[in-house]
Amino acid sequence: MAVTTIAPDRAAAPPQTAREPFWVRLLLIGTALLFLGLFLVVPLLAVFTQAFEKGVAAYLEALREPEALSAIRLTLIAAGIAVPLNLLFGVAAAWAIAKFEFPGKNVLITLIDLPFAVSPVIAGLIFVLLFGSRGGLFGPWLAEHGVRVIFAVPGIVLATIFVTFPFVARELIPLMQAQGVDEEQAARVLGASGFQMFWRVTLPNIRWGLLYGVILCNARAMGEFGAVSVVSGHIRGMTNTLPLHVEVLYNEYNFVAAFAVASLLTLLALVTLVLKSVVEWRVLREQRRGGAGGGNHTA
Amino acid sequence: MSIEVENISKTFGTFTALKDIRLSIGTGELVALLGPSGSGKTTLLRIIAGLETPDAGVIRFHGEDATRQPVGDRGVGFVFQHYALFRHMTVFENIAFGLRVRPRKLRPSNEQIKTKVMDLLHLVQLEGLAARYPSQLSGGQRQRVALARALAVEPKVLLLDEPFGALDARVRQELRRWLRRLHDDIHVTSVFVTHDQEEALEVADRVVVMNEGRAEQIGTPEEVYEHPANPFVYNFLGNVNLFHGRVDKGQARLGSLAVDAPAHAGGQDAPVVGYVRPHDLDIARSRNGEPTIEAVIRHVHAVGPVVRVELERRDTGDPVEAHLTRERYRELDLRAGEQVHIKPRKMQVFAEDYSI
């Protein structure tokens, strides 16, 4: 009870920081805004002004040309394969790590972080070394059977999966560890099958964390440049994803088209940020609902 | 349904949680597994439930081997120490869970589920709270939801892990009396784990006192309290005074006291300890010709129905505690610093080398 009666008082008192002198506040807020403006807002505006420099018609034209459409399609394919796979992998890995004790657990956790630690270019090179048709480890054998990985769509998908696989698992592991296994065990005792337990108990408990991980994973999958650049071969209309297409256009001094395509990726980033904020807000609200009831122990 | 625990052993790595436990629980009985932390009581409960598998031994439900039976098929209700309520479900859905996950052929209709859940909410006295979430309930309410959820599947055995452990003292007392009444009404075979001796002695039909993976004593609350089988049980079930001495040919000499110790008749001059509960210790102003131990009163706590007197032995300097009724205390008119004679009314003598 004490907690619930004290909390409103605390909320009513002005926070300590608001008592700083006016000029200090002005300086701090001003610096922060200036920095944000220079490094985030101005570039963002620049992307759109450059994209529309020659009018809306030119903008739309740049997006409608076959090579741009092909790049959009390839990006959607790569993300469409990588995100669901990493969703599955992430849930499975987080489940194993959070709910079971087994030898090699720490090795697995380290391996999941590997793509964060390795430069994307190196990641791309790894796949070239493995699947390159000349000198690659499996490349010649695959080539004999008519499968092309490097400089083709499979390589791009593989590189995308590699670079994005920590996102979902990293998001879920601490969440699932904090939740423990009691609820799952309760479900089993009550007669739920493994699938019912997962579907009715585990999944609802991790749903927001999972969505958060998927959003970040998707953003990275669509925006990845380095690793994909190494394995793609930059074949126009064939193996160019959106970021690669932007580079190609820019190198050809086709600025309007380059920025028009770049604006698509920028929009994707903005949508991602909004979704991320919505999810964060939902999580906070759920925690608050939990916290409010938790303090009231003696009723 | 009866439960037979036959020679169950369990180790976790190098830690031995259970050593050759044997226990038989009758149909409709309410049994407490009592012991300090690390004594293996929760492990035993989880093995009975099927949440752990034993390294050796057999669990029988009503005579049938259930050792390898999966947890969901055992027909047990389990109440977890921290309740483990499904946090994203309402109280109603929590209680209905066990019915909703049944295979389609065995699943009751929505109407039947609703009736059942409402009956259970009535039973645990939470009628108005069906739409709440677990986070909106107090600890005692959560506990009762957990119990209702376990009872919804009509278990043949109800298992409770430290059912009152996370509650404050007043709620604890209310809830354990309520649990006792509930058990008398529905009469399902029940086993609960506790480290609180008062709780075990008050609620259970029989108590299993556990220590370091062994069952030290199994008996009714009266049996284990009045006739502890060994020093561990004596110590664990309440305060006790120790009187060190020696035994020779069935006669124990403890300071200036001489006590018959028929259990040690064969022993030749061995060290022994006499165990006396504070309320079995009498205080007198004079010796009255009987052998007594002289002691000095250090402190008197005269609050409550029992007066606690702290004394110090004159011969050894050891502290001794005695509990008197208020009447006896007024009669004696004791003050701190006074010298008195103490004499045990009842004492149990165990060999000194018994390891606790």
Side-chain angles (χ1 to χ4, degrees):
Chain A
M1 290 310 279
V3 176
T4 47
T5 52
I6 286 169
D9 295 345
R10 237 188 246 152
Q16 195 71 38
T17 46
R19 293 192 202 111
E20 300 294 342
F22 180 71
W23 65 269
V24 172
R25 272 183 278 160
L26 197 71
L27 190 74
L28 285 171
I29 295 168
T31 314
L33 285 180
L34 192 74
F35 190 85
L36 275 176
L38 264 176
F39 285 87
L40 290 175
V41 180
V42 170
L44 210 59
L45 289 176
V47 169
F48 286 98
T49 42
Q50 292 275 345
F52 286 104
E53 203 180 27
K54 293 193 178 148
V56 179
Y59 176 83
L60 290 176
E61 187 51 42
L63 296 183
R64 264 204 298 257
E65 64 156 337
E67 282 168 15
L69 288 177
S70 153
I72 292 171
R73 202 175 58 239
L74 185 56
T75 296
L76 289 177
I77 287 172
I81 297 173
V83 173
L85 282 180
N86 280 332
L87 172 83
L88 279 181
F89 166 80
V91 172
W95 179 287
I97 287 167
K99 314 264 172 178
F100 297 99
E101 289 302 323
F102 55 91
K105 188 161 149 174
N106 284 327
V107 177
L108 181 59
I109 295 175
T110 313
L111 279 178
I112 287 173
D113 280 340
L114 188 70
F116 280 166
V118 171
S119 157
V121 175
I122 308 296
L125 271 176
I126 293 170
F127 287 106
V128 172
L129 288 174
L130 284 177
F131 300 111
S133 54
R134 250 173 276 153
L137 206 53
F138 309 114
W141 184 84
L142 285 170
E144 270 174 39
H145 294 78
V147 181
R148 236 181 122 76
V149 176
I150 300 305
F151 304 148
V153 177
I156 292 170
V157 172
L158 278 176
T160 307
I161 291 173
F162 180 85
V163 173
T164 56
F165 90 55
F167 285 95
V168 173
R170 268 282 133 200
E171 200 56 49
L172 291 184
I173 289 167
L175 183 67
M176 288 173 103
Q177 273 174 337
Q179 287 175 349
V181 295
D182 275 8
E183 285 183 47
E184 273 93 3
Q185 287 187 342
R188 288 316 290 268
V189 177
L190 289 166
S193 65
F195 177 76
Q196 283 173 320
M197 171 189 76
F198 178 75
W199 194 252
R200 288 168 178 260
V201 176
T202 309
L203 201 57
N205 275 342
I206 60 170
R207 60 185 190 271
W208 293 113
L210 190 61
L211 188 57
Y212 191 94
V214 165
I215 290 168
L216 292 182
C217 182
N218 183 59
R220 182 67 192 268
M222 291 191 170
E224 173 55 25
F225 180 82
V228 171
S229 173
V230 174
V231 297
S232 120
H234 303 263
I235 306 166
R236 299 184 72 156
M238 300 269 297
T239 62
N240 266 356
T241 60
L242 276 178
L244 299 182
H245 189 55
V246 172
E247 195 210 15
V248 168
L249 292 171
Y250 189 83
N251 286 344
E252 291 169 351
Y253 304 102
N254 192 352
F255 296 129
V256 169
F259 280 104
V261 177
S263 73
L264 279 186
L265 287 169
T266 312
L267 281 175
L268 171 74
L270 291 175
V271 169
T272 302
L273 280 178
V274 170
L275 283 177
K276 187 171 149 293
S277 306
V278 169
V279 170
E280 275 170 356
W281 174 75
R282 287 297 303 255
V283 169
L284 205 69
R285 207 180 61 165
E286 250 172 50
Q287 276 170 355
R288 234 182 249 146
R289 198 177 64 190
N296 195 9
H297 266 297
T298 49
Chain B
M1 182 147 85
S2 63
I3 308 169
E4 303 290 331
V5 175
E6 292 172 10
N7 310 80
I8 290 287
S9 296
K10 176 78 180 173
T11 55
F12 294 105
T14 55
F15 175 72
T16 304
L18 293 172
K19 267 180 253 169
D20 203 24
I21 295 277
R22 259 162 291 187
L23 174 63
S24 164
I25 297 165
T27 305
E29 227 184 346
L30 176 53
V31 170
L33 304 179
L34 171 68
S37 55
S39 60
K41 55 197 191 302
T42 295
T43 305
L44 179 56
L45 193 79
R46 291 172 64 86
I47 286 174
I48 296 174
L51 290 168
E52 305 274 1
T53 39
D55 297 339
V58 178
I59 299 284
R60 288 184 204 285
F61 282 171
H62 216 81
E64 275 175 47
D65 187 348
T67 320
R68 304 282 155 214
Q69 204 176 16
V71 52
D73 299 342
R74 290 198 186 190
V76 298
F78 199 99
V79 177
F80 289 81
Q81 187 175 2
H82 300 290
Y83 323 131
L85 297 178
F86 306 127
R87 70 193 87 187
H88 63 282
M89 292 184 204
T90 60
V91 167
F92 184 97
E93 286 304 321
N94 261 283
I95 298 173
F97 185 88
L99 303 172
R100 291 212 197 280
V101 296
R102 282 188 184 169
R104 198 174 295 275
K105 272 179 259 166
L106 302 172
R107 196 184 308 156
S109 70
N110 273 335
E111 273 309 302
Q112 286 168 314
I113 290 178
K114 185 157 190 228
T115 315
K116 177 93 196 171
V117 172
M118 286 306 164
D119 285 351
L120 283 162
L121 280 171
H122 177 73
L123 183 74
V124 298
Q125 301 161 3
L126 293 173
E127 282 100 333
L129 303 182
R132 296 264 190 104
Y133 282 89
S135 59
Q136 298 166 318
L137 302 177
S138 71
Q141 289 168 337
R142 285 178 209 180
Q143 174 63 271
R144 283 180 280 160
V145 174
L147 199 58
R149 182 178 71 177
L151 291 173
V153 294
E154 290 173 11
K156 287 161 280 180
V157 172
L158 184 61
L159 306 169
L160 306 102
D161 186 6
E162 295 272 1
F164 315 116
L167 303 170
D168 57 52
R170 205 171 49 83
V171 182
R172 259 176 113 102
Q173 261 194 354
E174 269 170 36
L175 214 53
R176 73 188 189 214
R177 284 187 194 135
W178 176 82
L179 178 72
R180 180 67 239 188
R181 282 200 306 275
L182 183 77
H183 182 264
D184 292 342
D185 289 345
I186 60 177
H187 243 78
V188 56
T189 309
S190 305
V191 183
F192 74 99
V193 157
T194 179
H195 62 265
D196 182 338
Q197 38 99 4
E198 213 183 299
E199 200 166 285
L201 298 178
E202 184 179 321
V203 177
D205 295 323
R206 269 196 313 150
V207 178
V208 180
V209 185
M210 295 189 62
N211 179 39
E212 290 181 344
R214 292 185 309 263
E216 297 280 0
Q217 190 174 5
I218 303 172
T220 63
E222 289 78 10
E223 275 166 15
V224 294
Y225 189 78
E226 295 296 332
H227 307 287
N230 57 46
F232 174 82
V233 180
Y234 229 120
N235 264 312
F236 196 71
L237 293 182
N239 289 335
V240 69
N241 293 300
L242 307 188
F243 292 90
H244 294 268
R246 301 194 79 79
V247 70
D248 194 22
K249 297 186 188 78
Q251 270 284 315
R253 298 206 59 82
L254 311 157
S256 47
L257 298 175
V259 188
D260 284 332
H264 301 270
Q268 292 281 325
D269 191 33
V272 289
V273 187
Y275 285 73
V276 184
R277 295 238 182 262
H279 61 256
D280 285 329
L281 209 54
D282 201 18
I283 298 179
R285 288 238 169 245
S286 62
R287 176 160 285 157
N288 289 337
E290 291 174 56
T292 58
I293 288 174
E294 289 182 6
V296 179
I297 297 178
R298 284 282 164 239
H299 199 83
V300 179
H301 303 275
V303 179
V306 172
V307 178
R308 293 193 291 127
V309 184
E310 283 172 26
L311 308 107
E312 188 183 299
R313 283 173 66 171
R314 293 259 306 185
D315 49 355
T316 61
D318 289 340
V320 177
E321 188 174 327
H323 292 178
L324 304 177
T325 60
R326 291 205 82 86
E327 291 73 37
R328 180 72 182 145
Y329 169 65
R330 261 194 296 264
E331 199 180 302
L332 288 165
D333 190 27
L334 300 172
R335 298 283 148 82
E338 288 181 320
Q339 190 180 314
V340 291
H341 297 270
I342 54 174
K343 184 177 163 49
R345 277 187 294 264
K346 194 177 137 206
M347 171 187 280
Q348 211 159 337
V349 177
F350 295 104
E352 172 91 273
D353 61 1
Y354 189 94
S355 59
I356 293 177

